[in-house]
Amino acid sequence: MCPLYPLHILVLYCCMLLPLLLAVVQGAENLAGWKLNFSTPRIGTKDDYFRELTSRNFTVSCFDCPQLQGEKYRLEMRNQDPRIARIVHPDSETEQDEEGYLQLDITGYPEDFDITFNVTGTFLGFSRVSAKVVATKDNLVQEKGTEDDLPLTVTRSLAKKTASKIFGYSVAVLISLAYINMGCALDLDVMKQVLRRPVGPLIGFISQFIFMPLVSFALSFTFPASMPEMRLGLFVTGCSPGGGASNIWTVMFGGNLDLSVTMTAVSTFSAFLMMPVWMYALGEVIISNTDIVVPYTKILTYGILLILPLSIGISINRCLPKVSKFLVKIMKPMALFLILFILVCGIWSQFFMIQLISWRIAVVGFGLPWLGFAFGCLFSKLWRRERKDIIAIAVETGVQNTGMAIFMLWFTLDHPAGDLAAVVPVAVATFTPFPLLGALIYYKLRNRFCGPAVDGEELDDMAKEHSESLMEKNIEDDNKNIKA
């Protein structure tokens, strides 16, 4: 018997596997020396836009890439988001598949070679292209990729850009006019009376500038990490409270209009400071590890610029009361027109947004205003506010200033990030009226068939009035008896 038994069996197996091990090591060393890279670090920059329906060429270069006899080599390209761009190898007319993969046989290529590809922008957005060489022999596979991916940034086509500019400047003008009308509608004396007992505005401030930014930040994680623009768009929407339509809805539901207008004014002025604060506090968390840069200076500048039309409206109210009354009369139609303009003209000029509205955007579009309505209602009830105040606070909390959010995103972020981020406030503006209309129909039907709802304070007032009337009647009866 062999003195090495049973170790000699293990030694025999190692000797049999040695050639295979040497082949693997040789193949790995072969690919390890390959230098694979792209000819350009990026396609699509601020100075050189890569627009939809345009094409660019880029090259994959390989240096010191010797091929071993008997091995097969292929170049694998992967476009992470095939919706954004299409990659083609012009010489072989090979295109990427539905998942963004493109394979090219490079067996027999020289030690140094360049392969040119063509990329065409198909939809605005961001993507990345990766490349690697795969070597196979006898079921053994080795891979060698580029050190860095190739970023693609596809912006709007020139036609879409023109339509977007017209729409964007139109929104800016309409928002400025709406703010002038709002300034005319502000009764500083009424605001002073409301602010003397600032419980209502304080509840609204907490609901609008603490709860809504936090809940929008939490909801933003509905979107995956690959969609930071959508996350940022939702967060900016949550930081933009006090839409002009809130005053209209408050009147429709029979709420406290003075409190609603005061809260709108307070939230409008506060947003100029609170939005940059929240963007600095939590916005950086959303855009970490992305190419998006939040321009705090621009946000603050545009926020301050929005104070100008509001101040003009206040001045008109002081100096030209007749003009102010006319502007106040058209405030509601103006707010309604602004909403319809954003919906109709926004869809016409920004039809790509419809293509981007996914189930996630629909969920947050419904969820954000619903949570605002619910929290505003419950929080004001907790503070034992009367029914009219509860309506005003709930509506002011749930209705966001989507026009301001769109304005900020479009005019401060680079594109296409600004376009993609603006999809969320457009969706919120689209879906916000649905729960309100449903609640309004229920409210009207209940009042018609069951009578108007009466809260505790109104019941106390009614009981007090009833007792006073009974006392007066008893006094009159006593007087009649005395005379008799």
Side-chain angles (χ1 to χ4, degrees), residues 30 39 63 65 67 120 179 218 237 247 254 256 340 352 380 397 402 414 416 434 439 477:
N30 176 47
S39 59
F63 303 99
C65 307
Q67 297 187 8
T120 302
Y179 271 69
T237 305
N247 307 133
N256 187 340
L340 293 176
F352 65 89
S380 54
T397 304
T402 51
D414 294 327
F434 291 104
D477 292 340

Side-chain angles (χ1 to χ4, degrees), residues 89-311:
H89 181 239
D91 295 340
S92 63
E93 297 184 352
T94 305
E95 296 187 13
Q96 68 180 33
D97 59 20
E98 293 180 355
E99 296 181 354
Y101 287 95
L102 186 153
Q103 295 186 1
L104 191 66
D105 186 9
I106 58 171
T107 304
Y109 274 52
E111 188 169 333
D112 298 332
F113 61 86
D114 296 323
I115 302 177
T116 301
F117 293 90
N118 178 269
V119 58
T120 302
T122 54
F123 196 70
L124 79 166
F126 302 93
S127 185
R128 303 182 78 87
V129 178
S130 60
K132 65 179 180 181
V133 173
V134 180
T136 57
K137 182 180 181 182
D138 299 331
N139 297 324
L140 296 176
V141 180
Q142 294 92 36
E143 297 180 353
K144 175 67 175 182
T146 56
E147 293 183 1
D148 299 310
D149 293 340
L150 175 64
L152 299 178
T153 302
V154 182
T155 56
R156 296 165 295 181
S157 63
L158 288 174
K160 286 183 180 179
K161 180 185 177 183
T162 303
S164 295
K165 274 192 172 182
I166 295 172
F167 178 60
Y169 289 123
S170 301
V171 168
V173 171
L174 288 174
I175 287 178
S176 299
L177 292 175
Y179 271 69
I180 291 174
N181 290 351
M182 193 182 299
C184 292
L186 289 179
D187 191 332
L188 298 181
D189 294 330
V190 173
M191 284 185 61
K192 288 177 182 177
Q193 291 178 3
V194 174
L195 292 174
R196 283 174 185 171
R197 299 180 62 188
V199 179
L202 179 61
I203 294 171
F205 186 88
I206 294 171
S207 301
Q208 291 176 315
F209 287 106
I210 296 180
F211 174 76
M212 292 303 286
L214 290 176
V215 77
S216 63
F217 177 76
L219 284 176
S220 69
F221 287 92
T222 305
F223 301 108
S226 59
M227 303 172 71
E229 305 84 14
M230 302 298 183
R231 289 183 175 185
L232 187 63
L234 180 60
F235 183 62
V236 170
T237 305
C239 296
S240 306
S246 59
N247 307 133
I248 300 173
W249 287 110
T250 299
V251 172
M252 288 181 177
F253 281 97
N256 187 340
L257 181 59
D258 291 336
L259 176 60
S260 176
V261 172
T262 303
M263 286 181 61
T264 300
V266 171
S267 63
T268 300
F269 282 108
S270 301
F272 303 140
L273 174 64
M274 294 301 296
M275 182 185 287
V277 169
W278 276 114
M279 289 297 295
Y280 183 77
L282 295 179
E284 291 292 336
V285 178
I286 294 175
I287 63 171
S288 60
N289 301 322
T290 69
D291 295 331
I292 300 175
V293 177
V294 177
Y296 299 104
T297 305
K298 276 189 177 181
I299 290 175
L300 188 60
T301 302
Y302 282 111
I304 293 172
L305 286 176
L306 287 176
I307 297 179
L308 182 60
L310 198 64
S311 303

Side-chain angles (χ1 to χ4, degrees), residues 35-99:
K35 297 176 183 178
L36 195 68
N37 53 58
F38 291 106
S39 59
T40 179
R42 173 184 293 274
I43 294 179
T45 63
K46 294 180 183 180
D47 301 324
D48 185 18
Y49 288 113
F50 179 37
R51 299 192 180 279
E52 295 172 307
L53 307 179
T54 61
S55 299
R56 298 287 179 86
N57 290 330
F58 68 92
T59 302
V60 177
S61 302
C62 196
F63 303 99
D64 297 329
C65 307
Q67 297 187 8
L68 298 179
Q69 194 172 11
E71 287 192 352
K72 293 184 177 180
Y73 298 85
R74 69 176 183 271
L75 178 65
E76 290 188 359
M77 308 285 292
R78 186 191 174 222
N79 179 11
Q80 291 184 0
D81 193 343
R83 299 179 307 116
I84 303 302
R86 184 180 73 255
I87 300 175
V88 179
H89 181 239
D91 295 340
S92 63
E93 297 184 352
T94 305
E95 296 187 13
Q96 68 180 33
D97 59 20
E98 293 180 355
E99 296 181 354

Side-chain angles (χ1 to χ4, degrees), residues 395-459:
V395 171
E396 284 288 335
T397 304
V399 176
Q400 298 302 106
N401 195 341
T402 51
M404 182 180 182
I406 294 169
F407 178 84
M408 286 293 185
L409 292 168
W410 267 348
F411 286 95
T412 59
L413 294 181
D414 294 327
H415 296 284
D419 295 308
L420 297 173
V423 173
V424 180
V426 168
V428 172
T430 304
F431 294 129
T432 295
F434 291 104
L436 287 171
L437 286 173
L440 185 62
I441 292 171
Y442 168 77
Y443 173 74
K444 294 296 184 183
L445 291 175
R446 189 190 65 179
N447 286 352
R448 182 175 181 180
F449 295 105
C450 304
V454 182
D455 62 13
E457 291 187 9
E458 290 178 351
L459 283 173

